[in-house]
Amino acid sequence: MSSGRHFLQIPGPTNVPDRVLRAISYPTIDHRGPEFADLGLDALDKLKSVLKTGADAVIYPSSGTGAWEAALVNTLSPGDRVLMFESGQFGTLWANLARDLGLDVEFVPGDWRSGVDPAVVEERLSADPGHRITAVAVVHSETSTGVVSRIPEVRAAMDRAGHPALLLVDTISSLGSVDYRHDEWGADVTIGSSQKGLMLPPGLSFHGISAKARRASESAGFARSYWNWAPMLESNAGGYFPYTPATNLLYGLREAVAMLHEEGLEQVFARHRRLAAATRAAVEAWDLELVCRVPEEYSPVLTAVAMPEGDDADKLRAAILERFDVSLGAGLGRLRGRVFRIGHLGHLNEPGLLGTLGAIEAGLRLTGTAHRPGGVTAAAEYLADTSG
Ligand code: PLP
């Protein structure tokens, strides 16, 4: 049994602030009673302020995968063609889910080291004059690789192609940590979830819904019930839900978004960029390689690090957990064993990051992983020399 706090430095679920834990511990109330409406309306308003939308939003009691499915069944019909991208493990899983539902997935191969290429979006849509493609689905922050795709450029590419497809964006590991603007960037469905930048436990997922997506849902051909926007939006208008909501997580959502606004969203984004830059300074000093190969796409929320040839990332992670009580993210899918991921999102400050990097540097040494010492110093110097 170790003393002090466990360091949960995976790229989600993230550390839940004490304030949010306390809010979640309030007594559960009658979700059909008069008191609930204020909570429901406030939680939805707060969610919209983070999504940056004045349009519709919904909250599901589900993990992010549920909201992936919900986005597809609310807007599309069986057999519809969807343009999807192999950005990494999550891009791949979303495409598999779409195929399972009976969608016709046009899957653009990727190298798991870079984001969605806007030029490819334009090219694929321009090659579809009959508009068979009904949606373009992009993962904003690919949590398996530490790469952030450039959504405004993807939107601009769609507009240049003059194509009417819907834009569906997964912001599961970016919402509340990385600049994102549902309305201004022209997203049709934005998908988020609770357990990452929003500093909540797992269990809630979200949609921002454009007017165009709402119209599409009226003629969408998929059978849907639990995920159906129509009864949800109807109940939400009065602050209620069509079925039992995750009441205590809604208390948490209200508190967590209040914390983000107290710090200021822009400041929250800047803090994430800064902690990410300090992390990359450490990785560079260790002479290890970043998975992301495009500097403009470096993730503010996590850094995926490639192991030297022949070294096992899972052995390193296990040693760091056992000796220092620090959890790091595993390599996912085809990166299994070859990559470890440092989560630096959510409720995290400079000493929290330096402690994490210190445990990693000690772990590199104790497992005999080929590296150059000095990563922690490099990160500390970066933090000392830049202001927050
Ligand atoms: N999309 C992204 C980018 C993710 O990071 C995750 C989970 O980590 C998911 C989708 C799946 O979400 P969940 O595990 O909450 O179902």
Side-chain angles (χ1 to χ4, degrees):
M1 182 73 194
S2 32
S3 56
R5 277 207 176 183
H6 173 67
F7 272 43
L8 182 64
Q9 299 310 136
I10 60 175
T14 62
N15 297 289
V16 180
D18 293 350
R19 248 176 87 174
V20 174
L21 287 173
R22 278 197 293 276
I24 289 170
S25 74
Y26 298 159
T28 305
I29 56 173
D30 174 4
H31 60 286
R32 305 204 192 281
E35 237 186 290
F36 188 88
D38 284 346
L39 170 63
L41 291 172
D42 196 18
L44 283 160
D45 269 1
K46 290 241 165 42
L47 169 65
K48 289 182 194 186
S49 72
V50 179
L51 285 165
K52 298 207 174 141
T53 183
D56 291 318
V58 296
I59 302 173
Y60 292 113
S62 85
S63 87
T65 303
W68 264 352
E69 176 162 333
L72 300 174
V73 299
N74 271 295
T75 55
L76 306 176
S77 302
D80 276 0
R81 181 167 293 179
V82 186
L83 185 61
M84 300 183 99
F85 301 85
E86 191 193 3
S87 46
Q89 177 72 352
F90 291 102
T92 302
L93 291 177
W94 198 9
N96 291 343
L97 184 151
R99 287 190 199 97
D100 287 346
L101 289 173
L103 289 161
D104 173 12
V105 175
E106 182 170 326
F107 198 46
V108 178
D111 64 359
W112 292 50
R113 302 196 68 177
S114 55
V116 171
D117 182 348
V120 172
V121 174
E122 185 172 356
E123 186 190 305
R124 295 286 179 131
L125 293 181
S126 300
D128 176 40
H131 300 161
R132 284 211 48 214
I133 295 172
T134 46
V136 175
V138 180
V139 176
H140 181 216
S141 162
E142 179 47 84
T143 323
S144 62
T145 60
V147 172
V148 171
S149 283
R150 289 162 279 167
I151 302 302
E153 291 181 42
V154 170
R155 174 77 258 174
M158 293 174 70
D159 294 344
R160 275 196 306 277
H163 198 289
L166 295 167
L167 175 59
L168 315 180
V169 186
D170 169 343
T171 66
I172 286 172
S173 65
S174 51
L175 192 66
S177 299
V178 182
D179 187 19
Y180 185 80
R181 310 170 197 189
H182 174 84
D183 289 357
E184 190 183 324
W185 292 359
D188 290 300
V189 185
T190 297
I191 297 148
S193 72
S194 53
Q195 74 272 24
K196 308 209 185 224
L198 293 182
M199 310 181 292
L200 290 158
L204 294 180
S205 66
F206 315 112
H207 281 171
I209 305 167
S210 73
K212 182 174 165 185
R214 185 88 192 268
R215 279 194 303 279
S217 76
E218 282 155 21
S219 55
F222 272 114
R224 69 208 107 123
S225 176
Y226 186 77
W227 302 123
N228 196 357
W229 285 339
M232 186 69 113
L233 291 166
E234 198 183 309
S235 298
N236 281 177
Y240 294 95
F241 288 74
Y243 39 73
T244 313
T247 306
N248 291 55
L249 290 178
L250 298 180
Y251 292 142
L253 176 62
R254 205 163 57 165
E255 192 69 15
V257 177
M259 286 177 70
L260 293 176
H261 287 309
E262 281 165 29
E263 185 177 350
L265 275 183
E266 289 314 312
Q267 177 55 34
V268 170
F269 302 151
R271 170 168 56 83
H272 280 81
R273 287 193 299 269
R274 191 153 167 277
L275 295 180
T279 305
R280 290 193 301 273
V283 174
E284 192 187 326
W286 289 326
D287 200 22
L288 297 178
E289 198 183 349
L290 297 172
V291 171
C292 180
R293 61 171 178 76
V294 183
E296 311 86 79
E297 296 177 341
Y298 285 155
S299 169
V301 296
L302 79 130
T303 300
V305 184
M307 292 295 279
E309 203 54 48
D311 281 317
D312 180 352
D314 290 342
K315 206 176 103 201
L316 173 69
R317 286 189 318 105
I320 292 170
L321 178 62
E322 192 187 312
R323 282 288 294 275
F324 306 116
D325 201 23
V326 174
S327 290
L328 298 171
L332 298 177
R334 71 186 215 198
L335 301 178
R336 175 158 295 284
R338 295 167 46 210
V339 158
F340 67 93
R341 294 173 302 143
I342 308 166
H344 34 75
L345 72 162
H347 188 55
L348 185 66
N349 58 13
E350 293 163 343
L353 180 73
L354 288 170
T356 303
L357 296 174
I360 296 171
E361 186 152 343
L364 290 167
R365 180 180 166 89
L366 76 90
T367 54
T369 304
H371 74 290
R372 211 171 41 203
V376 179
T377 303
E381 284 173 359
Y382 177 86
L383 292 172
D385 296 347
T386 58
S387 54

